[in-house]
C-alpha cells in the first residue's frame, strides 16, 4: 500500500543565509525517482511558530498524510538529527516512533533530545499536539538538517530516504 508523506521546510531567517538546508534537502528529495510512496512538499514555511504551525496543520487536514516529516536547518550541527521530543513550558511531547529502530543502520544520523527552543520546536510541538489531541494514528517527526555540502549530501539524502522507507513500514 502506498503511503502519503508530507515534508515541510522553512525559509531563511538570517541575512547571511543564501538558502535553508531543510529546503535544500527537500529539493533533493523531490528528485528521487525510485521512491515508491506519494510525497507532498510544504516548502518555505515562515520562521514564525504560529504561522508555520497553522500552515502545516491546515495541510495535514487537507491531505490526511500517513507521515509528517518536518525539517529545519541546524547550522551548528554536523549531521542529520531526528528529534525525540518537543516542549512548551513544562509540557514535553515525545514522538511515538522508536527512533533507535528507525535509525538502525543509518550512515550518520543521530537522535537529539533538544529541538532548539525556536520555531523548529514550536512547529514540532504543534504537530505532535495536534496528532495526539485528535487521536490521529499518523507518524510525526522532526529532522534537523546540517548545512549541506558536497561532502555530506549523499549521506544525508541516503539517511532521509532510509527514514522515509522505515516510517512507511510502521
Amino acid at each position: 500500500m502506498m503511503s502519503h508523506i508530507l515534508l515541510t521546510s522553512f525559509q531563511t531567517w538570517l541575512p547571511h543565509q543564501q538558502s535553508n538546508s531543510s529546503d535544500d534537502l527537500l529539493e533533493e528529495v523531490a528528485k528521487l525517482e525510485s521512491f515508491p510512496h506519494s510525497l507532498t512538499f510544504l516548502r518555505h514555511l515562515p520562521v514564525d511558530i504560529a504561522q508555520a504551525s497553522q500552515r502545516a496543520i491546515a495541510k495535514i487536514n487537507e491531505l490526511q498524510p500517513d507521515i509528517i516529516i518536518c525539517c529545519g536547518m541546524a547550522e551548528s550541527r554536523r549531521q542529520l538529527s531526528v528529534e525525540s521530543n518537543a516542549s512548551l513550558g513544562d509540557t514535553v511531547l515525545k514522538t511515538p516512533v522508536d527512533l533507535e529502530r528507525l535509525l538502525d543502520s543509518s550512515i550518520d544520523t543521530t537522535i537529539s533530545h533538544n529541538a532548539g527552543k525556536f520555531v523548529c520546536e514550536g512547529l514540532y510541538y504543534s504537530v505532535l499536539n495536534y496528532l495526539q489531541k485528535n487521536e490521529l494514528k499518523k507518524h510525526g517527526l522532526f529532522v534537523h538538517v546540517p548545512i549541506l555540502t558536497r561532502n555530506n549530501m549523499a549521506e544525508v539524502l541516503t539517511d532521509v530516504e532510509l527514514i522515509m522507507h522505515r516510517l512507511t513500514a510502521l
Side-chain angles (χ1 to χ4, degrees):
M1 183 173 130
M2 183 184 295
S3 293
H4 191 169
I5 302 173
L6 173 63
L7 296 116
T8 72
S9 67
F10 286 102
Q11 300 171 337
T12 58
W13 71 94
L14 295 173
H16 72 275
Q17 297 167 338
Q18 294 181 8
S19 65
N20 186 306
S21 60
S22 69
D23 193 61
D24 297 339
L25 177 62
L26 294 196
E27 189 174 318
E28 294 302 313
V29 169
K31 297 175 188 175
L32 294 174
E33 294 179 12
S34 62
F35 195 74
H37 300 279
S38 171
L39 302 176
T40 298
F41 300 93
L42 180 58
R43 296 176 60 187
H44 305 282
L45 287 173
V47 182
D48 176 277
I49 294 170
Q51 290 178 39
S53 298
Q54 180 182 34
R55 286 186 54 196
I57 289 169
K59 190 58 90 170
I60 292 167
N61 280 331
E62 174 191 335
L63 298 174
Q64 295 299 307
D66 304 296
I67 298 162
I68 300 100
I69 302 174
C70 300
C71 300
M73 180 164 70
E75 285 185 297
S76 64
R77 298 188 191 183
R78 299 288 169 236
Q79 58 199 148
L80 199 66
S81 305
V82 177
E83 299 299 337
S84 66
N85 65 78
S87 62
L88 179 62
D90 293 336
T91 306
V92 177
L93 301 178
K94 296 179 184 244
T95 180
V97 177
D98 180 344
L99 298 182
E100 294 287 340
R101 189 169 144 218
L102 181 73
L103 298 179
D104 182 46
S105 77
S106 67
I107 298 171
D108 193 29
T109 299
T110 62
I111 297 170
S112 167
H113 306 290
N114 180 358
K117 304 297 179 213
F118 189 47
V119 71
C120 294
E121 184 160 37
L123 173 61
Y124 192 28
Y125 182 91
S126 294
V127 168
L128 289 175
N129 187 49
Y130 178 79
L131 295 176
Q132 287 180 14
K133 280 192 172 185
N134 292 284
E135 299 180 4
L136 299 174
K137 301 298 181 203
K138 301 172 185 308
H139 301 297
L141 208 57
F142 196 98
V143 177
H144 266 117
V145 183
I147 299 298
L148 297 173
T149 67
R150 276 186 247 116
N151 294 334
N152 71 0
M153 178 63 84
E155 291 177 349
V156 168
L157 193 55
T158 297
D159 278 0
V160 166
E161 194 170 2
L162 172 76
I163 289 167
M164 290 189 306
H165 277 295
R166 293 239 171 103
L167 286 171
T168 62
L170 295 177

